Amino acid sequence: MPIPLILYKIFKAGVVSEPPPEADLSLRTRVQTLHADILKVFGQAVAIRHVDAGSCNGCELEIHALGGPHYNIEGRGVKFVASPRHADLLLVTGPVSRNMEVALHRAYDATPEPKWVVAVGDCGCTGGIFGESYATRGRVSNVIPVDVEVPGCPPTPFALLQGILAAVSSAGNND
């Protein structure tokens, strides 16, 4: 039986994936600092409500990575909630589409004080490639007040952690 052409190409190419990145030991101390800041400011977990205001879902993939075993933010006192009424922080992704403008306002109004808003990704920070048009209001700050911006397309999970830490740290400085 002859070897199919695809198998021949696979054997000839070998392993083509890149080696895994080196472990970042500063991440562990940064996450521990985040946990200590959360406990200092809130005395409990920080509740985050994620609002997708019209994104391409690239940022959502990185947000989901935060819940994995490598970052384990739930174990550090950062929890995602289903309702803005239970949230301390809104994590907003994407340019705000015209259809999501009212829903974003409602989520912001439903979030109890004190509240913080983190705009995620280039689209959330600047409007990205979409800008302002007939279909979109552009950046999140055009619709609701933003406390922290996390640029990137999409931003890395570490950048998201830094943005959450910046929001929590600013909360601690306001008290």
Side-chain angles (χ1 to χ4, degrees), residues 33-170:
T33 304
L34 172 66
H35 183 61
D37 286 348
I38 288 169
L39 291 177
K40 182 177 72 177
V41 173
F42 294 101
Q44 59 194 18
V46 169
I48 297 176
R49 172 64 174 135
H50 169 236
V51 179
D52 181 349
S55 76
C56 69
N57 291 330
C59 295
E60 281 71 15
L61 293 172
E62 302 301 320
I63 291 170
H64 288 296
L66 289 174
H70 185 71
Y71 294 97
N72 188 24
I73 62 168
E74 291 243 349
R76 301 293 179 195
V78 179
K79 306 207 181 307
F80 286 90
V81 294
S83 171
R85 296 186 193 286
H86 303 140
D88 302 308
L89 186 142
L90 288 179
L91 198 64
V92 186
T93 59
V96 181
S97 68
R98 301 270 180 193
N99 294 333
M100 281 299 294
E101 183 177 5
V102 172
L104 182 58
H105 266 293
R106 287 182 181 167
Y108 181 79
D109 293 340
T111 305
E113 293 289 342
K115 58 186 161 193
W116 296 273
V117 177
V118 177
V120 175
D122 288 342
C123 295
C125 297
T126 66
I129 61 171
F130 304 101
E132 294 181 40
S133 69
Y134 70 94
T136 177
R137 289 287 316 248
R139 69 178 73 204
V140 175
S141 62
N142 289 348
V143 178
I144 60 174
V146 171
D147 299 300
V148 176
E149 292 182 342
V150 182
C153 187
T156 64
F158 186 70
L160 290 168
L161 277 175
Q162 288 177 322
I164 293 167
L165 178 61
V168 171
S169 296
S170 71

